[in-house]
Amino acid sequence: MAKTKRYAVAALTWSTLLAAAIAAQETVPATSPQTSPAHNNVRKLVQWKRFDYTCDEGKKLTVYLAGASAKVSFGAQTYFLKQTMSADGNRYSDGKIVWWGKGNGGFLQEDNPDGNGKMIVKDCKLDEPLNPQTGTVTGSVTYLQRMALPPTAVIEVKLQDVSLADAPAKAIAEQTYNLGERQVPVPFSLNFDPAKIDPKHTYSLSARITVDGKLVFISDKAYPVLTRGNSTQADIVLKPATASPK
Protein backbone atom coordinates (compact mmCIF):
# COMPACT_ATOMS: atom_id res chain seq x y z
CA MET A 1 0.00 0.00 0.00
CA ALA A 2 2.84 2.39 0.90
CA LYS A 3 4.51 1.61 -2.37
CA THR A 4 1.32 2.44 -4.28
CA LYS A 5 1.09 5.82 -2.54
CA ARG A 6 4.67 6.67 -3.52
CA TYR A 7 3.86 5.95 -7.17
CA ALA A 8 0.77 8.10 -6.96
CA VAL A 9 2.70 11.02 -5.42
CA ALA A 10 5.45 10.73 -8.04
CA ALA A 11 2.90 10.65 -10.87
CA LEU A 12 1.16 13.72 -9.45
CA THR A 13 4.45 15.58 -9.09
CA TRP A 14 5.46 14.75 -12.68
CA SER A 15 2.08 15.89 -14.00
CA THR A 16 2.37 19.18 -12.11
CA LEU A 17 5.86 19.85 -13.48
CA LEU A 18 4.76 18.99 -17.05
CA ALA A 19 1.75 21.30 -16.85
CA ALA A 20 3.97 24.11 -15.54
CA ALA A 21 6.43 23.61 -18.39
CA ILE A 22 3.67 23.69 -21.00
CA ALA A 23 2.19 26.85 -19.47
CA ALA A 24 5.60 28.50 -19.48
CA GLN A 25 6.03 27.73 -23.20
CA GLU A 26 2.62 29.12 -24.07
CA THR A 27 3.13 32.36 -22.16
CA VAL A 28 4.06 35.26 -24.47
CA PRO A 29 6.70 37.43 -22.83
CA ALA A 30 5.83 41.09 -22.55
CA THR A 31 7.86 43.38 -24.78
CA SER A 32 10.10 45.59 -22.72
CA PRO A 33 10.41 49.27 -23.55
CA GLN A 34 14.08 48.73 -24.32
CA THR A 35 13.31 46.20 -27.08
CA SER A 36 10.36 48.08 -28.63
CA PRO A 37 11.04 49.26 -32.18
CA ALA A 38 11.88 52.94 -32.30
CA HIS A 39 9.42 55.24 -34.02
CA ASN A 40 10.27 58.77 -35.19
CA ASN A 41 7.22 60.77 -34.22
CA VAL A 42 8.87 64.16 -34.72
CA ARG A 43 6.93 66.26 -37.23
CA LYS A 44 8.87 67.72 -40.11
CA LEU A 45 9.50 71.45 -39.93
CA VAL A 46 7.27 73.34 -42.37
CA GLN A 47 9.30 75.52 -44.72
CA TRP A 48 7.29 78.70 -45.27
CA LYS A 49 8.11 81.05 -48.13
CA ARG A 50 7.50 84.69 -47.22
CA PHE A 51 5.95 87.40 -49.40
CA ASP A 52 5.59 90.98 -48.15
CA TYR A 53 2.89 93.28 -49.55
CA THR A 54 2.05 96.95 -49.26
CA CYS A 55 -1.69 97.56 -49.59
CA ASP A 56 -4.01 100.57 -49.81
CA GLU A 57 -3.18 103.43 -47.46
CA GLY A 58 0.27 101.92 -46.91
CA LYS A 59 -1.00 98.97 -44.89
CA LYS A 60 1.36 96.01 -44.61
CA LEU A 61 0.40 92.37 -45.18
CA THR A 62 2.57 89.25 -45.16
CA VAL A 63 1.77 85.93 -46.80
CA TYR A 64 3.60 82.69 -45.98
CA LEU A 65 3.15 79.81 -48.43
CA ALA A 66 3.97 76.13 -47.99
CA GLY A 67 2.49 73.67 -50.46
CA ALA A 68 -1.30 74.08 -50.44
CA SER A 69 -1.27 76.06 -47.18
CA ALA A 70 -1.11 79.78 -46.59
CA LYS A 71 -0.57 81.85 -43.46
CA VAL A 72 -1.67 85.47 -43.84
CA SER A 73 -0.70 88.09 -41.26
CA PHE A 74 -2.50 91.42 -41.33
CA GLY A 75 -2.63 93.80 -38.41
CA ALA A 76 -2.99 91.77 -35.23
CA GLN A 77 -4.63 88.84 -37.04
CA THR A 78 -3.10 85.71 -38.52
CA TYR A 79 -5.22 83.50 -40.78
CA PHE A 80 -4.42 79.87 -41.62
CA LEU A 81 -5.87 79.07 -45.04
CA LYS A 82 -5.97 76.21 -47.54
CA GLN A 83 -5.72 76.53 -51.30
CA THR A 84 -9.05 76.19 -53.10
CA MET A 85 -10.13 75.84 -56.70
CA SER A 86 -9.85 79.04 -58.72
CA ALA A 87 -10.01 79.87 -62.40
CA ASP A 88 -7.98 83.05 -61.89
CA GLY A 89 -5.07 83.53 -59.49
CA ASN A 90 -4.20 81.66 -56.29
CA ARG A 91 -7.11 81.46 -53.86
CA TYR A 92 -6.73 80.40 -50.20
CA SER A 93 -9.60 80.20 -47.74
CA ASP A 94 -10.71 78.83 -44.37
CA GLY A 95 -14.39 79.24 -45.23
CA LYS A 96 -14.57 82.64 -43.53
CA ILE A 97 -11.60 84.59 -44.87
CA VAL A 98 -10.09 84.41 -48.36
CA TRP A 99 -6.73 85.59 -49.67
CA TRP A 100 -6.66 85.97 -53.43
CA GLY A 101 -3.24 86.45 -54.97
CA LYS A 102 -3.00 87.49 -58.60
CA GLY A 103 0.42 87.97 -60.14
CA ASN A 104 2.24 90.58 -58.06
CA GLY A 105 -0.93 91.72 -56.27
CA GLY A 106 -3.79 90.45 -54.17
CA PHE A 107 -6.52 91.25 -51.62
CA LEU A 108 -7.97 89.89 -48.38
CA GLN A 109 -11.73 89.71 -47.84
CA GLU A 110 -14.48 87.83 -46.07
CA ASP A 111 -15.43 84.64 -47.90
CA ASN A 112 -19.00 84.05 -49.00
CA PRO A 113 -20.63 82.01 -51.80
CA ASP A 114 -21.21 84.93 -54.18
CA GLY A 115 -17.66 86.27 -53.84
CA ASN A 116 -18.80 89.69 -52.67
CA GLY A 117 -17.64 89.46 -49.07
CA LYS A 118 -16.57 92.50 -47.12
CA MET A 119 -13.13 93.71 -48.21
CA ILE A 120 -10.58 93.59 -45.39
CA VAL A 121 -7.69 95.09 -47.33
CA LYS A 122 -7.19 95.62 -51.06
CA ASP A 123 -4.72 96.82 -53.69
CA CYS A 124 -1.88 94.78 -52.17
CA LYS A 125 1.34 94.84 -54.19
CA LEU A 126 4.44 92.74 -53.66
CA ASP A 127 7.34 94.74 -52.26
CA GLU A 128 9.62 92.64 -54.46
CA PRO A 129 7.76 91.71 -57.67
CA LEU A 130 7.99 88.09 -58.78
CA ASN A 131 8.61 89.08 -62.40
CA PRO A 132 10.21 92.52 -62.53
CA GLN A 133 9.30 94.46 -65.65
CA THR A 134 12.02 94.86 -68.24
CA GLY A 135 12.53 97.52 -70.82
CA THR A 136 13.87 96.85 -74.30
CA VAL A 137 15.73 98.84 -76.93
CA THR A 138 16.02 97.43 -80.42
CA GLY A 139 17.79 98.20 -83.65
CA SER A 140 20.54 96.92 -85.93
CA VAL A 141 24.31 97.02 -86.25
CA THR A 142 25.99 97.49 -89.63
CA TYR A 143 29.00 99.02 -91.39
CA LEU A 144 29.45 100.46 -94.88
CA GLN A 145 32.71 98.74 -95.90
CA ARG A 146 32.37 96.00 -98.51
CA MET A 147 33.92 93.18 -96.56
CA ALA A 148 32.72 89.98 -94.91
CA LEU A 149 33.59 89.07 -91.36
CA PRO A 150 34.50 85.55 -90.20
CA PRO A 151 31.97 83.52 -88.18
CA THR A 152 34.08 84.09 -85.04
CA ALA A 153 33.26 87.81 -85.05
CA VAL A 154 31.47 89.07 -81.92
CA ILE A 155 29.07 92.03 -81.83
CA GLU A 156 28.76 93.96 -78.56
CA VAL A 157 25.89 96.39 -77.95
CA LYS A 158 25.81 98.60 -74.85
CA LEU A 159 23.27 100.99 -73.29
CA GLN A 160 24.97 103.78 -71.36
CA ASP A 161 24.16 106.78 -69.19
CA VAL A 162 26.03 109.66 -70.83
CA SER A 163 24.55 112.49 -68.80
CA LEU A 164 27.88 113.78 -67.48
CA ALA A 165 30.17 115.11 -70.18
CA ASP A 166 33.21 115.19 -67.89
CA ALA A 167 32.75 111.64 -66.52
CA PRO A 168 32.97 108.19 -68.08
CA ALA A 169 29.71 106.75 -69.44
CA LYS A 170 27.91 104.45 -67.02
CA ALA A 171 26.85 101.08 -68.45
CA ILE A 172 23.16 100.23 -67.87
CA ALA A 173 22.96 97.02 -69.92
CA GLU A 174 24.93 95.17 -72.58
CA GLN A 175 24.53 92.19 -74.88
CA THR A 176 26.89 90.19 -77.09
CA TYR A 177 26.05 88.23 -80.25
CA ASN A 178 28.13 85.72 -82.19
CA LEU A 179 28.02 86.64 -85.85
CA GLY A 180 28.17 83.07 -87.10
CA GLU A 181 27.11 82.80 -90.73
CA ARG A 182 25.22 86.09 -90.66
CA GLN A 183 26.35 89.33 -92.24
CA VAL A 184 25.40 92.91 -91.46
CA PRO A 185 23.02 94.45 -90.80
CA VAL A 186 22.48 92.34 -87.67
CA PRO A 187 19.38 93.06 -85.57
CA PHE A 188 19.64 93.31 -81.78
CA SER A 189 17.30 93.44 -78.79
CA LEU A 190 18.77 94.74 -75.54
CA ASN A 191 16.89 94.35 -72.24
CA PHE A 192 17.38 96.73 -69.31
CA ASP A 193 15.97 97.43 -65.87
CA PRO A 194 13.58 100.43 -66.04
CA ALA A 195 14.37 101.22 -62.39
CA LYS A 196 17.86 102.26 -63.52
CA ILE A 197 16.52 104.89 -65.92
CA ASP A 198 16.24 108.50 -64.73
CA PRO A 199 13.99 110.64 -66.99
CA LYS A 200 16.33 113.59 -66.38
CA HIS A 201 19.39 111.73 -67.67
CA THR A 202 20.64 111.10 -71.19
CA TYR A 203 21.14 107.58 -72.55
CA SER A 204 22.73 106.32 -75.74
CA LEU A 205 23.68 103.10 -77.51
CA SER A 206 27.13 102.10 -78.66
CA ALA A 207 28.43 99.01 -80.44
CA ARG A 208 31.58 97.37 -81.65
CA ILE A 209 32.75 94.22 -83.43
CA THR A 210 35.76 92.15 -82.46
CA VAL A 211 37.43 89.20 -84.17
CA ASP A 212 39.42 86.86 -81.96
CA GLY A 213 39.57 89.58 -79.32
CA LYS A 214 40.83 92.29 -81.71
CA LEU A 215 38.72 95.38 -82.34
CA VAL A 216 37.59 95.66 -85.97
CA PHE A 217 34.64 98.08 -86.03
CA ILE A 218 33.36 100.59 -83.48
CA SER A 219 30.66 103.27 -83.23
CA ASP A 220 32.13 106.77 -83.33
CA LYS A 221 29.06 108.75 -82.25
CA ALA A 222 26.21 108.56 -79.77
CA TYR A 223 22.83 107.07 -80.65
CA PRO A 224 20.43 108.60 -78.09
CA VAL A 225 17.46 106.54 -76.84
CA LEU A 226 14.73 106.41 -74.17
CA THR A 227 14.65 109.89 -72.60
CA ARG A 228 14.36 113.49 -73.81
CA GLY A 229 11.95 112.53 -76.57
CA ASN A 230 14.15 109.78 -78.05
CA SER A 231 12.74 106.43 -79.15
CA THR A 232 13.64 102.88 -78.07
CA GLN A 233 15.11 102.03 -81.49
CA ALA A 234 18.40 102.87 -83.19
CA ASP A 235 20.32 101.64 -86.24
CA ILE A 236 24.02 101.84 -85.43
CA VAL A 237 26.56 102.33 -88.22
CA LEU A 238 30.10 101.33 -87.26
CA LYS A 239 33.42 102.68 -88.49
CA PRO A 240 36.66 100.72 -88.97
CA ALA A 241 38.87 100.63 -85.90
CA THR A 242 42.33 102.17 -86.13
CA ALA A 243 44.05 98.79 -86.39
CA SER A 244 41.70 96.38 -88.11
CA PRO A 245 42.97 92.93 -89.12
CA LYS A 246 42.81 91.77 -92.70
Side-chain angles (χ1 to χ4, degrees), residues 19-245:
I22 294 173
Q25 291 179 355
E26 291 179 347
T27 302
V28 179
T31 303
S32 64
Q34 290 80 4
T35 59
S36 299
H39 294 284
N40 184 8
N41 295 322
V42 179
R43 297 179 62 183
K44 292 183 179 180
L45 180 64
V46 177
Q47 298 293 329
W48 295 97
K49 190 171 183 180
R50 177 172 175 164
F51 300 89
D52 294 310
Y53 293 80
T54 299
C55 307
D56 63 327
E57 301 179 356
K59 299 173 184 176
K60 294 293 184 178
L61 177 143
T62 302
V63 176
Y64 301 87
L65 298 180
S69 300
K71 182 171 61 174
V72 181
S73 296
F74 177 66
Q77 298 292 325
T78 298
Y79 307 96
F80 293 89
L81 315 174
K82 290 293 185 180
Q83 190 169 18
T84 61
M85 293 295 294
S86 171
D88 182 20
N90 297 314
R91 187 180 188 275
Y92 297 84
S93 175
D94 61 358
K96 298 179 180 179
I97 302 297
V98 59
W99 163 254
W100 212 317
K102 298 183 179 182
N104 292 313
F107 56 85
L108 188 69
Q109 70 176 153
E110 295 180 356
D111 196 3
N112 61 21
D114 60 10
N116 295 321
K118 179 181 177 182
M119 190 66 64
I120 299 174
V121 65
K122 60 181 180 178
D123 298 331
C124 299
K125 300 294 182 184
L126 272 172
D127 294 344
E128 296 183 6
L130 297 174
N131 299 305
Q133 294 182 348
T134 58
T136 305
V137 287
T138 60
S140 65
V141 175
T142 190
Y143 52 83
L144 302 180
Q145 283 65 28
R146 297 175 62 86
M147 63 176 290
L149 290 174
T152 56
V154 176
I155 301 174
E156 302 175 40
V157 182
K158 187 178 294 185
L159 173 64
Q160 298 173 304
D161 184 338
V162 293
S163 303
L164 301 177
D166 57 347
K170 179 182 178 182
I172 303 299
E174 56 186 298
Q175 181 71 50
T176 60
Y177 301 89
N178 292 321
L179 184 63
E181 300 301 325
R182 297 177 297 179
Q183 294 298 326
V184 295
V186 177
F188 68 85
S189 179
L190 180 60
N191 295 329
F192 63 90
D193 182 359
K196 296 182 179 180
I197 303 300
D198 187 334
K200 298 179 182 179
H201 287 199
T202 302
Y203 301 89
S204 71
L205 289 170
S206 64
R208 67 182 202 162
I209 299 177
T210 59
V211 176
D212 299 329
K214 296 181 180 179
L215 184 62
V216 181
F217 288 98
I218 190 169
S219 54
D220 64 346
K221 69 174 185 177
Y223 291 84
V225 290
L226 299 178
T227 59
R228 302 183 182 277
N230 293 304
S231 71
T232 59
Q233 194 275 341
D235 295 316
I236 304 174
V237 180
L238 305 182
K239 300 290 185 179
T242 303
S244 63

